[in-house]
PDB file of all heavy atoms in Angstrom:
ATOM      1  N   THR A   1      78.119 101.719 136.300  1.00 97.00           N
ATOM      2  CA  THR A   1      78.663 100.423 136.636  1.00 97.00           C
ATOM      3  C   THR A   1      78.080  99.891 137.918  1.00 97.00           C
ATOM      4  O   THR A   1      77.716  98.654 138.034  1.00 97.00           O
ATOM      5  CB  THR A   1      80.205 100.560 136.817  1.00 97.00           C
ATOM      6  OG1 THR A   1      80.806 100.947 135.553  1.00 97.00           O
ATOM      7  CG2 THR A   1      80.876  99.229 137.250  1.00 97.00           C
ATOM      8  N   LEU A   2      77.962 100.735 138.928  1.00 97.00           N
ATOM      9  CA  LEU A   2      77.383 100.231 140.214  1.00 97.00           C
ATOM     10  C   LEU A   2      75.896  99.843 140.016  1.00 97.00           C
ATOM     11  O   LEU A   2      75.454  98.830 140.536  1.00 97.00           O
ATOM     12  CB  LEU A   2      77.503 101.394 141.244  1.00 97.00           C
ATOM     13  CG  LEU A   2      78.926 101.629 141.763  1.00 97.00           C
ATOM     14  CD1 LEU A   2      78.938 102.795 142.764  1.00 97.00           C
ATOM     15  CD2 LEU A   2      79.561 100.336 142.409  1.00 97.00           C
ATOM     16  N   GLU A   3      75.186 100.587 139.219  1.00 95.00           N
ATOM     17  CA  GLU A   3      73.778 100.255 139.015  1.00 95.00           C
ATOM     18  C   GLU A   3      73.627  98.943 138.222  1.00 95.00           C
ATOM     19  O   GLU A   3      72.768  98.141 138.556  1.00 95.00           O
ATOM     20  CB  GLU A   3      73.086 101.421 138.184  1.00 95.00           C
ATOM     21  CG  GLU A   3      72.943 102.632 139.003  1.00 95.00           C
ATOM     22  CD  GLU A   3      72.352 103.764 138.235  1.00 95.00           C
ATOM     23  OE1 GLU A   3      72.277 103.643 136.942  1.00 95.00           O
ATOM     24  OE2 GLU A   3      71.966 104.839 138.872  1.00 95.00           O
ATOM     25  N   LEU A   4      74.572  98.704 137.255  1.00 94.00           N
ATOM     26  CA  LEU A   4      74.480  97.492 136.482  1.00 94.00           C
ATOM     27  C   LEU A   4      74.800  96.236 137.399  1.00 94.00           C
ATOM     28  O   LEU A   4      74.081  95.244 137.308  1.00 94.00           O
ATOM     29  CB  LEU A   4      75.491  97.501 135.378  1.00 94.00           C
ATOM     30  CG  LEU A   4      75.173  98.351 134.118  1.00 94.00           C
ATOM     31  CD1 LEU A   4      76.323  98.523 133.202  1.00 94.00           C
ATOM     32  CD2 LEU A   4      73.931  97.872 133.433  1.00 94.00           C
ATOM     33  N   ILE A   5      75.785  96.343 138.218  1.00 93.00           N
ATOM     34  CA  ILE A   5      76.205  95.159 138.979  1.00 93.00           C
ATOM     35  C   ILE A   5      75.299  94.944 140.168  1.00 93.00           C
ATOM     36  O   ILE A   5      75.308  93.839 140.799  1.00 93.00           O
ATOM     37  CB  ILE A   5      77.648  95.227 139.456  1.00 93.00           C
ATOM     38  CG1 ILE A   5      77.889  96.339 140.382  1.00 93.00           C
ATOM     39  CG2 ILE A   5      78.620  95.234 138.235  1.00 93.00           C
ATOM     40  CD1 ILE A   5      79.363  96.454 140.946  1.00 93.00           C
ATOM     41  N   THR A   6      74.397  95.885 140.421  1.00 94.00           N
ATOM     42  CA  THR A   6      73.411  95.663 141.551  1.00 94.00           C
ATOM     43  C   THR A   6      72.121  95.170 141.029  1.00 94.00           C
ATOM     44  O   THR A   6      71.288  94.669 141.760  1.00 94.00           O
ATOM     45  CB  THR A   6      73.184  96.944 142.347  1.00 94.00           C
ATOM     46  OG1 THR A   6      72.808  98.027 141.509  1.00 94.00           O
ATOM     47  CG2 THR A   6      74.381  97.284 143.134  1.00 94.00           C
ATOM     48  N   THR A   7      71.961  95.252 139.737  1.00 89.00           N
ATOM     49  CA  THR A   7      70.649  94.837 139.139  1.00 89.00           C
ATOM     50  C   THR A   7      70.657  93.571 138.399  1.00 89.00           C
ATOM     51  O   THR A   7      69.642  93.039 137.963  1.00 89.00           O
ATOM     52  CB  THR A   7      70.081  95.950 138.211  1.00 89.00           C
ATOM     53  OG1 THR A   7      71.109  96.269 137.168  1.00 89.00           O
ATOM     54  CG2 THR A   7      69.746  97.224 139.003  1.00 89.00           C
ATOM     55  N   VAL A   8      71.910  92.960 138.214  1.00 83.00           N
ATOM     56  CA  VAL A   8      71.974  91.675 137.528  1.00 83.00           C
ATOM     57  C   VAL A   8      72.715  90.709 138.415  1.00 83.00           C
ATOM     58  O   VAL A   8      73.521  91.066 139.209  1.00 83.00           O
ATOM     59  CB  VAL A   8      72.668  91.794 136.150  1.00 83.00           C
ATOM     60  CG1 VAL A   8      71.979  92.748 135.215  1.00 83.00           C
ATOM     61  CG2 VAL A   8      74.109  92.217 136.280  1.00 83.00           C
ATOM     62  N   ARG A   9      72.396  89.395 138.225  1.00 78.00           N
ATOM     63  CA  ARG A   9      73.156  88.372 138.921  1.00 78.00           C
ATOM     64  C   ARG A   9      74.447  88.130 138.199  1.00 78.00           C
ATOM     65  O   ARG A   9      74.502  88.030 136.956  1.00 78.00           O
ATOM     66  CB  ARG A   9      72.277  87.085 139.061  1.00 78.00           C
ATOM     67  CG  ARG A   9      71.204  87.162 140.020  1.00 78.00           C
ATOM     68  CD  ARG A   9      71.659  87.320 141.453  1.00 78.00           C
ATOM     69  NE  ARG A   9      70.604  87.443 142.436  1.00 78.00           N
ATOM     70  CZ  ARG A   9      70.104  86.442 143.106  1.00 78.00           C
ATOM     71  NH1 ARG A   9      70.562  85.229 142.875  1.00 78.00           N
ATOM     72  NH2 ARG A   9      69.164  86.626 143.961  1.00 78.00           N
ATOM     73  N   LEU A  10      75.528  88.019 138.945  1.00 81.00           N
ATOM     74  CA  LEU A  10      76.880  87.843 138.391  1.00 81.00           C
ATOM     75  C   LEU A  10      77.320  86.480 138.581  1.00 81.00           C
ATOM     76  O   LEU A  10      77.138  85.867 139.628  1.00 81.00           O
ATOM     77  CB  LEU A  10      77.816  88.858 139.047  1.00 81.00           C
ATOM     78  CG  LEU A  10      77.393  90.408 138.994  1.00 81.00           C
ATOM     79  CD1 LEU A  10      78.368  91.179 139.943  1.00 81.00           C
ATOM     80  CD2 LEU A  10      77.433  90.957 137.622  1.00 81.00           C
ATOM     81  N   GLY A  11      78.106  85.954 137.606  1.00 74.00           N
ATOM     82  CA  GLY A  11      78.670  84.630 137.727  1.00 74.00           C
ATOM     83  C   GLY A  11      77.702  83.490 137.599  1.00 74.00           C
ATOM     84  O   GLY A  11      76.496  83.682 137.585  1.00 74.00           O
ATOM     85  N   PRO A  12      78.198  82.346 137.406  1.00 74.00           N
ATOM     86  CA  PRO A  12      77.332  81.086 137.183  1.00 74.00           C
ATOM     87  C   PRO A  12      76.437  80.771 138.324  1.00 74.00           C
ATOM     88  O   PRO A  12      75.383  80.132 138.108  1.00 74.00           O
ATOM     89  CB  PRO A  12      78.327  79.975 136.892  1.00 74.00           C
ATOM     90  CG  PRO A  12      79.626  80.468 137.554  1.00 74.00           C
ATOM     91  CD  PRO A  12      79.661  81.972 137.492  1.00 74.00           C
ATOM     92  N   ASP A  13      76.809  81.080 139.555  1.00 75.00           N
ATOM     93  CA  ASP A  13      75.986  80.823 140.693  1.00 75.00           C
ATOM     94  C   ASP A  13      75.142  81.921 141.240  1.00 75.00           C
ATOM     95  O   ASP A  13      74.593  81.848 142.374  1.00 75.00           O
ATOM     96  CB  ASP A  13      76.919  80.305 141.830  1.00 75.00           C
ATOM     97  CG  ASP A  13      77.751  79.053 141.486  1.00 75.00           C
ATOM     98  OD1 ASP A  13      77.162  78.182 140.770  1.00 75.00           O
ATOM     99  OD2 ASP A  13      78.877  78.997 141.832  1.00 75.00           O
ATOM    100  N   GLY A  14      74.950  82.981 140.438  1.00 78.00           N
ATOM    101  CA  GLY A  14      74.023  83.996 140.831  1.00 78.00           C
ATOM    102  C   GLY A  14      74.511  84.883 141.938  1.00 78.00           C
ATOM    103  O   GLY A  14      73.765  85.191 142.876  1.00 78.00           O
ATOM    104  N   ILE A  15      75.798  85.352 141.869  1.00 90.00           N
ATOM    105  CA  ILE A  15      76.291  86.255 142.859  1.00 90.00           C
ATOM    106  C   ILE A  15      75.463  87.601 142.765  1.00 90.00           C
ATOM    107  O   ILE A  15      75.077  87.992 141.732  1.00 90.00           O
ATOM    108  CB  ILE A  15      77.792  86.590 142.539  1.00 90.00           C
ATOM    109  CG1 ILE A  15      78.607  85.328 142.580  1.00 90.00           C
ATOM    110  CG2 ILE A  15      78.370  87.642 143.431  1.00 90.00           C
ATOM    111  CD1 ILE A  15      79.912  85.381 141.827  1.00 90.00           C
ATOM    112  N   SER A  16      75.226  88.182 143.965  1.00 93.00           N
ATOM    113  CA  SER A  16      74.447  89.428 143.964  1.00 93.00           C
ATOM    114  C   SER A  16      75.151  90.497 144.826  1.00 93.00           C
ATOM    115  O   SER A  16      75.912  90.094 145.750  1.00 93.00           O
ATOM    116  CB  SER A  16      73.054  89.191 144.508  1.00 93.00           C
ATOM    117  OG  SER A  16      73.032  88.918 145.916  1.00 93.00           O
ATOM    118  N   VAL A  17      74.904  91.767 144.560  1.00 95.00           N
ATOM    119  CA  VAL A  17      75.476  92.877 145.205  1.00 95.00           C
ATOM    120  C   VAL A  17      74.389  93.612 146.001  1.00 95.00           C
ATOM    121  O   VAL A  17      73.273  93.782 145.578  1.00 95.00           O
ATOM    122  CB  VAL A  17      76.123  93.841 144.201  1.00 95.00           C
ATOM    123  CG1 VAL A  17      76.506  95.210 144.909  1.00 95.00           C
ATOM    124  CG2 VAL A  17      77.386  93.265 143.629  1.00 95.00           C
ATOM    125  N   ASP A  18      74.730  93.966 147.224  1.00 96.00           N
ATOM    126  CA  ASP A  18      73.803  94.744 148.072  1.00 96.00           C
ATOM    127  C   ASP A  18      73.865  96.223 147.730  1.00 96.00           C
ATOM    128  O   ASP A  18      74.947  96.821 147.850  1.00 96.00           O
ATOM    129  CB  ASP A  18      74.153  94.562 149.527  1.00 96.00           C
ATOM    130  CG  ASP A  18      73.198  95.138 150.505  1.00 96.00           C
ATOM    131  OD1 ASP A  18      72.450  96.033 150.084  1.00 96.00           O
ATOM    132  OD2 ASP A  18      73.193  94.730 151.704  1.00 96.00           O
ATOM    133  N   PRO A  19      72.753  96.857 147.235  1.00 96.00           N
ATOM    134  CA  PRO A  19      72.856  98.241 146.819  1.00 96.00           C
ATOM    135  C   PRO A  19      73.101  99.167 148.057  1.00 96.00           C
ATOM    136  O   PRO A  19      73.270 100.431 147.849  1.00 96.00           O
ATOM    137  CB  PRO A  19      71.436  98.444 146.257  1.00 96.00           C
ATOM    138  CG  PRO A  19      70.536  97.417 146.845  1.00 96.00           C
ATOM    139  CD  PRO A  19      71.435  96.206 147.019  1.00 96.00           C
ATOM    140  N   ALA A  20      73.095  98.692 149.262  1.00 96.00           N
ATOM    141  CA  ALA A  20      73.443  99.531 150.440  1.00 96.00           C
ATOM    142  C   ALA A  20      74.875  99.400 150.870  1.00 96.00           C
ATOM    143  O   ALA A  20      75.310  99.962 151.821  1.00 96.00           O
ATOM    144  CB  ALA A  20      72.548  99.115 151.676  1.00 96.00           C
ATOM    145  N   LYS A  21      75.717  98.673 150.062  1.00 98.00           N
ATOM    146  CA  LYS A  21      77.084  98.447 150.345  1.00 98.00           C
ATOM    147  C   LYS A  21      78.011  98.838 149.139  1.00 98.00           C
ATOM    148  O   LYS A  21      78.719  97.971 148.622  1.00 98.00           O
ATOM    149  CB  LYS A  21      77.356  97.017 150.718  1.00 98.00           C
ATOM    150  CG  LYS A  21      76.565  96.579 151.975  1.00 98.00           C
ATOM    151  CD  LYS A  21      76.830  95.119 152.269  1.00 98.00           C
ATOM    152  CE  LYS A  21      76.065  94.625 153.519  1.00 98.00           C
ATOM    153  NZ  LYS A  21      76.282  93.128 153.680  1.00 98.00           N
ATOM    154  N   LEU A  22      77.874 100.071 148.714  1.00 98.00           N
ATOM    155  CA  LEU A  22      78.580 100.434 147.454  1.00 98.00           C
ATOM    156  C   LEU A  22      79.682 101.560 147.734  1.00 98.00           C
ATOM    157  O   LEU A  22      79.504 102.435 148.555  1.00 98.00           O
ATOM    158  CB  LEU A  22      77.567 101.033 146.506  1.00 98.00           C
ATOM    159  CG  LEU A  22      76.458 100.088 146.049  1.00 98.00           C
ATOM    160  CD1 LEU A  22      75.547 100.813 145.065  1.00 98.00           C
ATOM    161  CD2 LEU A  22      77.011  98.803 145.478  1.00 98.00           C
ATOM    162  N   GLY A  23      80.792 101.437 147.061  1.00 98.00           N
ATOM    163  CA  GLY A  23      81.875 102.371 147.182  1.00 98.00           C
ATOM    164  C   GLY A  23      82.400 102.750 145.791  1.00 98.00           C
ATOM    165  O   GLY A  23      82.121 102.190 144.756  1.00 98.00           O
ATOM    166  N   LEU A  24      83.271 103.806 145.822  1.00 98.00           N
ATOM    167  CA  LEU A  24      83.936 104.279 144.639  1.00 98.00           C
ATOM    168  C   LEU A  24      85.373 104.360 144.950  1.00 98.00           C
ATOM    169  O   LEU A  24      85.822 104.669 145.976  1.00 98.00           O
ATOM    170  CB  LEU A  24      83.366 105.685 144.282  1.00 98.00           C
ATOM    171  CG  LEU A  24      81.945 105.715 143.715  1.00 98.00           C
ATOM    172  CD1 LEU A  24      81.352 107.160 143.788  1.00 98.00           C
ATOM    173  CD2 LEU A  24      81.887 105.201 142.262  1.00 98.00           C
ATOM    174  N   ALA A  25      86.167 104.211 143.792  1.00 98.00           N
ATOM    175  CA  ALA A  25      87.603 104.221 143.934  1.00 98.00           C
ATOM    176  C   ALA A  25      88.212 104.649 142.598  1.00 98.00           C
ATOM    177  O   ALA A  25      87.493 104.680 141.585  1.00 98.00           O
ATOM    178  CB  ALA A  25      88.233 102.917 144.415  1.00 98.00           C
ATOM    179  N   GLY A  26      89.477 105.025 142.652  1.00 98.00           N
ATOM    180  CA  GLY A  26      90.097 105.400 141.336  1.00 98.00           C
ATOM    181  C   GLY A  26      91.576 105.845 141.521  1.00 98.00           C
ATOM    182  O   GLY A  26      91.974 106.208 142.627  1.00 98.00           O
ATOM    183  N   HIS A  27      92.238 105.886 140.374  1.00 98.00           N
ATOM    184  CA  HIS A  27      93.631 106.299 140.306  1.00 98.00           C
ATOM    185  C   HIS A  27      93.715 107.518 139.358  1.00 98.00           C
ATOM    186  O   HIS A  27      93.090 107.603 138.370  1.00 98.00           O
ATOM    187  CB  HIS A  27      94.462 105.168 139.760  1.00 98.00           C
ATOM    188  CG  HIS A  27      95.847 105.568 139.315  1.00 98.00           C
ATOM    189  ND1 HIS A  27      96.288 105.390 137.949  1.00 98.00           N
ATOM    190  CD2 HIS A  27      96.862 106.237 139.933  1.00 98.00           C
ATOM    191  CE1 HIS A  27      97.538 105.832 137.884  1.00 98.00           C
ATOM    192  NE2 HIS A  27      97.869 106.343 139.011  1.00 98.00           N
ATOM    193  N   SER A  28      94.544 108.533 139.752  1.00 97.00           N
ATOM    194  CA  SER A  28      94.818 109.625 138.841  1.00 97.00           C
ATOM    195  C   SER A  28      93.530 110.367 138.568  1.00 97.00           C
ATOM    196  O   SER A  28      92.718 110.674 139.501  1.00 97.00           O
ATOM    197  CB  SER A  28      95.548 109.185 137.586  1.00 97.00           C
ATOM    198  OG  SER A  28      95.876 110.259 136.776  1.00 97.00           O
ATOM    199  N   THR A  29      93.240 110.663 137.319  1.00 97.00           N
ATOM    200  CA  THR A  29      92.000 111.291 136.972  1.00 97.00           C
ATOM    201  C   THR A  29      90.845 110.430 137.227  1.00 97.00           C
ATOM    202  O   THR A  29      89.708 110.958 137.427  1.00 97.00           O
ATOM    203  CB  THR A  29      91.970 111.825 135.531  1.00 97.00           C
ATOM    204  OG1 THR A  29      92.380 110.707 134.693  1.00 97.00           O
ATOM    205  CG2 THR A  29      92.905 112.961 135.335  1.00 97.00           C
ATOM    206  N   GLY A  30      91.015 109.164 137.285  1.00 98.00           N
ATOM    207  CA  GLY A  30      89.965 108.220 137.734  1.00 98.00           C
ATOM    208  C   GLY A  30      89.588 108.427 139.122  1.00 98.00           C
ATOM    209  O   GLY A  30      88.427 108.205 139.531  1.00 98.00           O
TER     210      GLY A  30
END
């Protein structure tokens, strides 16, 4: 998921993610 959202532009205006600013989170077994 992190790799996908850092390699494609998101949204109609080309939102981008910085690959040096990534985190993980989750609930329960997630």
Side-chain angles (χ1 to χ4, degrees):
T1 296
L2 290 177
E3 291 178 349
L4 286 172
I5 63 178
T6 54
T7 54
V8 300
R9 287 296 178 95
L10 306 169
D13 297 322
I15 299 159
S16 69
V17 168
D18 187 337
K21 298 178 181 177
L22 302 179
L24 290 162
H27 165 239
S28 184
T29 50

